[in-house]
């Protein structure tokens, strides 16, 4: 046992021999093998979960690090799972498969969770679902390739920069994503309610120059677009104003 580890044991309110036995017992039962750049070491999973609390529902079996990414091999901690349709819990395993999910970067390095997922048989005879895959509440969802933390990070980047600029920033932060992915997250983000518009800005723009045009309506107080009307004629705008009598200034 190292001098540093022995010194940390002496801080516990117990005798030295009891502290040594407790430290050795925790080292044997609460560690997992870690592979870092071809070398092996050991780290208590409890320490990892203190740094990554959103992964508390997983048991990390192996962590591999390369020059480009950190891969965490994990499995779900729970012994059973609930059916996604009838919500009855089942512990009868039908099969297993591996699933890769991107998580938020650590020290600028991309993190990938390789999760061993179990498929369970539904024990409810009247349920139309025969088998279902286990999910971790708040962390995984069907067909998702990102954890909620990673999805929130990419959504924030998409809201700020979108497209190519957002993709470049995401790569620099260790959370690589294509521009199409960021635009898809941007479109899926729920819009805020329009509310009362008192000061309205109106302008036309070309969808295709010389061919088709549209009219954009902007709430000048909140500095955000409100609606887009087809064409650039006055009739659609007049109809919209009749439906929104709260407008005071145009």
């Amino acid at each position: 046992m190292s001098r540093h580890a022995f010194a940390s044991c002496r801080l516990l309110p117990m005798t030295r021999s009891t502290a040594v036995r407790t430290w050795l017992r925790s080292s044997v039962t609460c560690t997992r093998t870690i592979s870092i750049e071809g070398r092996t070491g050991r780290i208590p999973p409890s320490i990892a979960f203190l740094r990554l609390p959103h992964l508390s529902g997983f048991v990390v079996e192996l962590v591999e690090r390369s020059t480009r990414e950190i891969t965490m091999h994990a499995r779900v901690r729970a012994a059973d799972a609930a059916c996604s349709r009838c919500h009855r819990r089942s512990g009868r395993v039908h099969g297993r498969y591996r699933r890769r999910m991107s998580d938020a970067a650590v020290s600028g390095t991309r993190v990938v969770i390789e999760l061993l997922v179990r498929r369970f048989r539904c024990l409810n005879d009247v349920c139309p679902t025969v088998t279902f895959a286990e999910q971790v509440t708040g962390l995984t969802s069907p067909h998702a390739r990102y954890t909620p933390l990673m999805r929130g990070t990419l959504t924030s980047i998409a809201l700020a920069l979108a497209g190519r600029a957002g993709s470049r920033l995401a790569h620099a932060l260790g959370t690589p994503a294509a521009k199409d992915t960021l635009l898809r997250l941007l479109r899926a983000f729920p819009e805020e309610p329009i509310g009362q518009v008192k000061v309205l800005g109106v302008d036309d723009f070309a969808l295709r120059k010389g061919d088709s045009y549209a009219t954009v309506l902007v709430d000048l107080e909140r500095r955000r677009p409100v609606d887009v009307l087809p064409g650039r004629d006055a009739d659609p705008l007049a109809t919209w104003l009749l439906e929104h009598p709260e407008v005071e200034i145009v």
Side-chain angles (χ1 to χ4, degrees):
M1 184 171 56
S2 66
R3 183 180 302 176
H4 175 73
F6 184 76
S8 64
C9 291
R10 291 192 297 174
L11 297 177
L12 298 175
M14 55 182 71
T15 62
R16 179 178 301 182
S17 59
T18 304
V20 171
R21 288 197 300 270
T22 303
W23 184 88
L24 290 175
R25 190 183 304 113
S26 64
S27 299
V28 172
T29 60
C30 298
T31 57
R32 296 291 185 271
T33 302
I34 308 297
S35 175
I36 301 178
E37 296 179 353
R39 296 175 294 178
T40 59
R42 290 183 180 274
I43 182 173
S46 58
I47 296 178
F49 291 142
L50 286 176
R51 297 179 181 273
L52 303 172
H54 63 293
L55 301 181
S56 58
F58 291 158
V59 175
V60 179
E61 300 287 352
L62 178 68
V63 177
E64 297 177 335
R65 172 162 186 175
S66 64
T67 56
R68 295 185 300 175
E69 66 181 26
I70 298 174
T71 304
M72 304 174 63
H73 301 265
R75 59 179 174 84
V76 179
R77 185 180 298 273
D80 56 3
C83 176
S84 57
R85 181 165 299 181
C86 68
H87 305 291
R88 180 175 177 178
R89 303 196 69 85
S90 173
R92 185 180 299 177
V93 179
H94 173 71
R96 295 175 174 84
Y97 67 94
R98 293 198 175 273
R99 175 181 181 182
R100 289 175 62 87
M101 300 178 62
S102 297
D103 195 21
V106 174
S107 299
T109 304
R110 181 190 180 191
V111 176
V112 176
I113 300 175
E114 189 168 306
L115 181 63
L116 180 62
V117 181
R118 296 169 295 182
R119 292 194 66 88
F120 291 89
R121 287 186 177 274
C122 184
L123 303 180
N124 189 355
D125 296 335
V126 298
C127 180
T129 300
V130 179
T131 64
F132 61 91
E134 61 184 345
Q135 304 291 341
V136 180
T137 304
L139 190 60
T140 64
S141 57
H143 311 293
R145 299 176 59 187
Y146 303 109
T147 62
L149 183 60
M150 177 68 164
R151 185 182 180 91
T153 300
L154 294 179
T155 301
S156 299
I157 295 175
L159 289 173
L161 297 175
R164 291 183 175 87
S167 179
R168 289 193 295 267
L169 178 61
H171 280 77
L173 295 178
T175 55
K179 63 179 181 63
D180 293 334
T181 300
L182 296 178
L183 293 177
R184 185 167 58 252
L185 292 174
L186 186 60
R187 296 188 186 100
F189 190 78
E191 297 183 1
E192 298 180 3
I194 297 176
Q196 299 290 324
V197 181
K198 295 183 179 181
V199 182
L200 182 68
V202 181
D203 195 7
D204 61 333
F205 65 96
L207 296 174
R208 186 175 181 181
K209 192 173 181 179
D211 181 55
S212 58
Y213 294 85
T215 301
V216 60
L217 307 181
V218 180
D219 185 349
L220 296 182
E221 290 183 328
R222 296 186 178 90
R223 297 185 177 182
R224 51 167 299 195
V226 174
D227 201 351
V228 177
L229 305 178
R232 51 180 178 177
D233 299 329
D235 293 339
L237 177 59
T239 303
W240 192 93
L241 290 175
L242 290 175
E243 296 173 354
H244 298 79
E246 72 277 6
V247 177
E248 299 177 359
I249 303 174
V250 178

